Amino acid sequence: MKVTICMGARCTLMGANAIYDAVEYLQEQLCGPDSELCSAENLEVDFAHCMNYCKNHEINQASPVVIVDDEIMFKATAQEVSEKIINKLRIDK
């Protein structure tokens, strides 16, 4: 699973750092060497400098933006992203 977090100025201002911290915590806790749920290779975390969704989004309140696999999450929160990752890991197991 690939998680891409927009770290553009607007997304960072709206909480992208908290999302990154939550995803990093999940990666360490759920995908460690003794994990039965996933391995470190199963959860790839990436950054984007700016994905331009906030500029092109009709409502113009899309930030922060996170992509989990191919699903785009607008106004993402650390809790929502964490839940999405955990649910996808359980399904893929």
Side-chain angles (χ1 to χ4, degrees):
M1 170 186 334
K2 183 174 182 179
V3 178
T4 305
I5 303 168
C6 181
M7 296 302 272
R10 187 174 296 173
C11 287
T12 301
L13 181 66
M14 299 302 288
N17 287 330
I19 294 170
Y20 171 73
D21 290 342
V23 172
E24 185 178 56
Y25 177 80
L26 283 178
Q27 191 174 32
E28 291 171 1
Q29 298 300 312
L30 297 180
C31 299
D34 299 328
S35 174
E36 294 180 14
L37 190 58
C38 73
S39 66
E41 295 81 34
N42 292 44
L43 182 55
E44 177 186 347
V45 182
D46 196 15
F47 301 109
H49 292 289
C50 183
M51 293 191 254
N52 289 318
Y53 284 110
C54 55
K55 295 175 185 172
N56 298 327
H57 198 266
E58 294 172 359
I59 301 172
N60 199 23
Q61 293 182 354
S63 302
V65 179
V66 177
I67 302 175
V68 179
D69 285 337
D70 293 328
E71 184 177 339
I72 302 168
M73 300 175 69
F74 296 108
K75 293 185 179 181
T77 65
Q79 182 175 346
E80 291 171 340
V81 173
S82 297
E83 289 173 1
K84 173 76 65 186
I85 291 169
I86 291 169
N87 289 336
K88 287 180 86 52
L89 286 172
R90 286 183 180 150
I91 291 171
D92 292 343
K93 182 180 173 189

